Amino acid sequence: MAFKIELIGLDKDELQKALTDIGEKPFRAKQLWQWLYYFGATDFDMMTNLSKVLRQKLKDNFTITRPKIVTEQLSSDKTRKWLLEFADGERVEMVYIPEVDRGAVCISTQVGCAMGCKFCHTGSQKLTRNLTAAEIVSQFMVARDTYGEWPSPTQETRYLSNIVVMGMGEPLHNKDNVIKALNILTDGDGIAISRRRVTLSTSGIAPQIVDTLQATGVRLAISLHAPNDALRSSIMPINKRYPLDEVLKACQNYQAGDGSRYVTFEYLLLDEVNDSADCAHQLVNLMKKYGIRASFNLIPFNPWPGCGFKPSPNHKVRAFAKILNDAGFAAPIRVARGQDILAACGQLKSKKQSS
Ligand code: SAH
Ligand code: SF4
């Protein structure tokens, strides 16, 4: 039998081409798209409006693959974590964080990460490989399978309503696959997650920011974690390549011409490293200097063995938040979720440390 083409991860044009290549009419692509992404079909036999002969032909030429679920853990607060394995045995984690009437799925974009941020467990593992568009999209599809959210529910009744690209890996280091995957996930004829409900988080690969956001229409979050270059470079090596000035200018460009665009700055509070009142004031001045419409997300640090950092104590976190609030910035302190299963984004593990 000839090599079979995986359908998940093809965009609409590619799907159409795959079908015309086997002698089918282009309109079949629309039907198939709906079966794959609206109904979540994992088997060609579910596609009941296609003839048996056509279903057999599809089976002979194509596959529909989900990553294998290696483990699945449910926290006492209903946060859920999956360890997923791809065809070559590489693994990533995905987390679902429920809120009252909605919830965010945190997806990964790479196995490991080349950025080497000092506080990050993924960063301590080096980059193994990029995920394909299919692997990025099919992670979310596993979450939908688990919660039975097929066919795509209306926005109001969705449990899995948001996506945060904050799992393992640096999305802008795998830009093409991430753009393709996000455009599939947000396509209105299929999975249909609203672009405004998707947030991409980056450590700041400045030249890729505007393009990627333009090409996907999703929201931007920047992992800032320090208010000046010296400190940022000491914990995030990528800052030596793209210093704060370049990152913040990219944020300005992203906001230019669209007054509704906000940037969320993630700020991890590390005891005695970046949590002083002076750091908070520097942060305020930095935002004012660049005139960025910003909100902050203050993240409690999740320690891991050998990391060498400690979480900032609560009173310092609150004092830090107050300085930002007094300067007019929203700065919610992220509530730690799924502690009993170590499920927060930002402490996801891969192969060697898992299971
Ligand atoms: N590579 C991207 C997205 C994945 S990391 C980025 O860096 O933005 C998602 C978030 O988790 C980032 O803000 C990251 O800085 C944060 N993070 C990393 N390690 C963490 C830890 N040990 N505790 C809490 N957050 C962490
Ligand atoms: Fe990579 Fe993000 Fe971790 Fe930095 S924080 S090492 S960019 S995953």
Side-chain angles (χ1 to χ4, degrees):
M1 184 64 237
F3 170 76
K4 293 188 188 182
I5 295 174
E6 172 60 34
L7 293 182
I8 302 295
L10 300 186
D11 63 25
K12 280 182 166 165
D13 290 342
E14 289 168 339
L15 184 61
Q16 194 172 94
K17 182 166 184 311
L19 285 161
T20 51
D21 282 352
I22 61 162
E24 289 302 319
K25 294 257 163 30
F27 80 90
R28 293 283 180 209
K30 231 180 158 172
Q31 286 180 314
L32 215 52
W33 186 272
Q34 210 185 28
W35 278 115
L36 296 173
Y37 296 121
Y38 178 72
F39 290 111
T42 48
D43 186 334
F44 292 102
D45 283 329
M46 292 165 78
M47 305 181 180
T48 44
N49 63 347
L50 308 182
S51 72
K52 270 201 166 148
V53 176
L54 176 55
R55 273 156 29 198
Q56 188 55 48
K57 190 171 171 190
L58 295 176
K59 272 188 234 173
D60 291 342
N61 287 281
F62 304 126
T63 53
I64 306 169
T65 308
R66 297 279 199 269
K68 191 173 117 196
I69 299 174
V70 180
T71 57
E72 195 183 318
Q73 288 170 278
L74 185 62
S75 155
S76 53
D77 71 7
K78 299 275 186 279
T79 297
R80 189 182 293 266
K81 183 172 79 169
W82 298 259
L83 177 64
L84 302 176
E85 185 176 292
F86 301 110
D88 66 351
E90 291 300 340
R91 294 173 173 187
V92 296
E93 288 186 355
M94 172 171 72
V95 178
Y96 171 63
I97 306 146
E99 305 289 340
V100 176
D101 54 355
R102 63 203 157 87
V105 179
C106 176
I107 58 174
S108 296
T109 57
Q110 297 182 310
V111 180
C113 182
M115 301 302 123
C117 302
K118 298 279 191 290
F119 46 79
C120 175
H121 193 267
T122 308
S124 71
Q125 294 168 39
K126 308 281 183 288
L127 177 65
T128 303
R129 69 171 176 87
N130 282 334
L131 297 190
T132 62
E135 289 168 336
I136 298 168
V137 171
S138 61
Q139 283 172 67
F140 183 74
M141 297 178 88
V142 166
R144 273 223 174 148
D145 294 344
T146 304
Y147 287 86
E149 286 212 325
W150 302 109
S152 298
T154 61
Q155 193 67 65
E156 294 67 40
T157 60
R158 256 174 221 181
Y159 207 42
L160 312 183
S161 57
N162 291 50
I163 294 177
V164 290
V165 187
M166 294 186 185
M168 293 167 60
E170 168 48 56
L172 300 190
H173 198 213
N174 183 16
K175 183 181 156 193
D176 293 344
N177 290 332
V178 167
I179 291 176
K180 195 172 172 198
L182 293 182
N183 282 327
I184 293 172
L185 290 164
T186 54
D187 184 280
D189 299 326
I191 292 171
I193 298 291
S194 154
R195 292 173 195 274
R196 308 309 293 158
R197 289 174 179 268
V198 179
T199 302
L200 180 146
S201 172
T202 175
S203 58
I205 306 200
Q208 316 288 1
I209 291 175
V210 176
D211 283 5
T212 308
L213 275 286
Q214 223 71 290
T216 55
V218 303
R219 289 177 188 269
L220 173 63
I222 304 271
S223 293
L224 201 62
H225 307 327
N228 61 63
D229 281 319
L231 182 54
R232 195 164 189 267
S233 295
S234 73
I235 53 175
M236 298 180 72
I238 187 67
N239 192 72
K240 292 178 202 146
R241 181 101 184 265
Y242 303 115
L244 282 171
D245 182 58
E246 286 186 41
V247 175
L248 296 173
K249 281 189 175 139
C251 293
Q252 284 177 330
N253 291 339
Y254 163 68
Q255 295 188 324
D258 185 344
S260 71
R261 287 185 180 163
Y262 263 74
V263 177
T264 303
F265 290 96
E266 291 152 283
Y267 198 98
L268 192 60
L269 286 148
L270 302 165
D271 191 29
E272 301 290 324
V273 175
N274 64 357
D275 63 345
S276 66
D278 183 46
C279 280
H281 289 296
Q282 283 185 45
L283 209 47
V284 168
N285 291 337
L286 195 66
M287 292 301 137
K288 292 198 169 148
K289 178 176 164 200
Y290 286 86
I292 293 174
R293 291 181 295 283
S295 61
F296 289 89
N297 201 347
L298 301 180
I299 311 177
F301 174 59
N302 290 308
W304 40 276
C307 66
F309 294 105
K310 281 192 300 190
S312 187
N314 286 343
H315 71 275
K316 281 170 88 180
V317 176
R318 281 196 300 271
F320 199 96
K322 185 167 185 317
I323 292 169
L324 297 176
N325 292 155
D326 289 349
F329 295 102
I333 301 164
R334 190 190 284 177
V335 181
R337 297 293 299 269
Q339 285 296 302
D340 49 339
I341 58 167
L342 297 175
C345 295
Q347 63 170 27
L348 301 182
K349 299 171 167 57
S350 73
K351 212 169 177 177
K352 293 163 197 75
Q353 282 76 11
S354 306
S355 56

